[in-house]
Amino acid sequence: MRRAARVVGRALRTPVTGPARGIRKVTHAQGAGESGLGRLIELHGVNGAGDVMITVALASTVFFSVPTDEARGRVALYLAVTMLPFTLLAPVVGPLLDRLPHGRRAAMAGSMLARAVLALVLSGAVATGSLEMYPAALGVLVASKAYGVVRSAVVPRLLPQGFSLVKANSRVTLGGLLATGVAAPVGAGLQMIGPGWPLYGACLLFLGGAFLSFRLPPKVDSARGERRALLAADEQHLAAAVDARWDPVTTDDKTDDKTDDKTDDKTDSTDNKEEEKDRDGERGKGKEKERRRKGPGLRTVGPAVTHALAANACVRCQSGFLIFFLAFLLREHPLTGQSAAVSLAVVGVAAGAGNALGTAVGAWLRARAPEVIIVTVVGALVAVAVSAAVFFGAAVVAVLGAVAGFTQALAKLSLDALIQRDVPELVRTSAFARSETLLQMAWVVGGAIGIALPLRGPLGLSVGALIVALGWLTTVRALLASARRGASHPRVA
């Protein structure tokens, strides 16, 4: 009897433990298990799965369940009540998290727990159509973006031996994409049971994510030596950052504001002697002791990073624009011979496939010429976007979705490589946090533009092409110049 029970138990466990072991083997490969990166990949997969289940529930309630005109009003209200306040809160998220560097695991767990509670609130709101849905959705959005900012700051501390930052980010992103792809149809199946069921599933996932957050290595909470990064590109800020590293101080630690004339005379005498030594080209041994380090190194990210960030912001803005504009356009004017749901699915799958391909290519390219990669892929996106506006049609729109997803992934990974190359380690996590916040704000702005435009395909896609073209034209020269100069000198903090 016991033997039969063990056999049955083993048979029931195998469908769960088998895939779990396979996932663990992949995520912990090449030293990722020892460094802790594997656990972050798993956590990011849970995060992506939970977010997509909430998205399925909200999309079904706000978008699919009502006529197009009413849906447009609901989504506009959703943007006004959730994303508009988010544009005001997003600039605060990065600096606020900079002030809590020792609690990154707690911050990620807090983000998960907040979304678990808000998913339960939403489960009641979507069933009744209550206005509670909108502030709860805002809370989910802010918590999700806060997680993204903290994750960007955590990755550099979990790099396995021999891993580049772009390769590590590629693995984390791919893990999230795969989890999202699995969770989306599960969420759609739960939606068929009832409008609140995807939200119950999201709640369970986020509770699991809170547990996984505390399983990350304790070193992710360490902020030893970290400082804030200044997102400045001009040489004046660079020079000021260098000058700020040194600050003259007196050799007497007991000197205070109540010094007498005798002390002043001694100080003047010492200064005169130092000036004479400098004029004679002599360096006194005590000269270095008269100066101390004030800052952590270069407290700026440099021109290559800021121009790459500007290009990425325009790509992200176009991404938000296309999501909202095409959602309404394809619902009103589906692809030839297809329903609205199928049309949206085709474009969504194309964008997801392009994003996954871009992530895989980014991992393969490692960190080769990131400026050239950004210029190339964004330029290709401009060409495809212009073609889609001129030759508007089903196939061209699907291609545009795929190229936009590919460009967004590869350009972001190239930005990561530039941050790794040009930003000192002491301010690198802060640079990631602030750049991520800026990109999220750009996505929100693009979504608002997509909602406001009339549903005319060539007009809307022309606006989308203009957004990304502006980003490319204003940064291509500087990025190519940076590539010609090669990698900047190593910035050792």
Side-chain angles (χ1 to χ4, degrees), residues 115-126:
R115 281 179 284 174
V117 173
L118 290 169
L120 292 179
V121 174
L122 283 169
S123 66
V126 296

Side-chain angles (χ1 to χ4, degrees), residues 217-254:
K219 63 184 176 181
V220 304
D221 285 334
S222 174
R224 187 176 181 181
E226 291 183 5
R227 297 294 188 274
R228 288 194 200 170
L230 173 65
L231 296 180
D234 55 278
E235 298 298 330
Q236 180 180 357
H237 282 89
L238 287 170
V242 175
D243 294 339
R245 298 174 67 181
W246 297 95
D247 183 39
V249 297
T250 60
T251 56
D252 187 1
D253 294 334
K254 298 181 180 179

Side-chain angles (χ1 to χ4, degrees), residues 422-489:
D422 288 358
V423 178
E425 183 179 2
L426 295 182
V427 294
R428 191 177 294 154
T429 55
S430 175
F432 268 108
R434 290 166 184 268
S435 64
E436 189 68 23
T437 299
L438 179 61
L439 294 178
Q440 289 157 1
M441 289 177 62
W443 186 89
V444 172
V445 172
I449 296 173
I451 282 290
L453 283 181
L455 297 180
R456 293 200 290 271
L459 172 64
L461 296 187
S462 297
V463 172
L466 179 62
I467 292 172
V468 73
L470 286 175
W472 187 75
L473 291 173
T474 55
T475 59
V476 57
R477 218 172 139 189
L479 288 171
L480 290 177
S482 175
R484 283 194 297 269
R485 288 194 299 268
S488 60
H489 61 278

Side-chain angles (χ1 to χ4, degrees), residues 6 26 35 38 67 77 83 93 125 139 163 212 288 294 300 305 323 340 366 369 387 395 399 405 412 431 437 457:
R6 283 197 297 268
V26 172
S35 71
L77 178 61
M83 292 192 176
V93 172
F163 259 54
L212 292 176
E288 293 297 325
K294 180 180 180 181
T300 181
V305 174
I323 287 173
R366 305 293 175 91
S387 300
V399 171
K412 178 60 169 65
T437 299

Side-chain angles (χ1 to χ4, degrees), residues 317-327 381 400-401 404 446-447 450 460-461 464:
C317 182
Q318 191 212 34
S319 172
F321 170 82
L322 290 177
I323 287 173
F324 286 93
F325 179 77
L326 290 179
L381 178 58
L400 174 61
L461 296 187

Side-chain angles (χ1 to χ4, degrees), residues 97-113:
L97 292 172
D98 279 345
R99 295 179 182 273
L100 300 171
H102 294 286
R104 292 189 181 118
R105 289 186 299 174
M108 297 174 90
S111 166
M112 296 287 180
L113 289 174

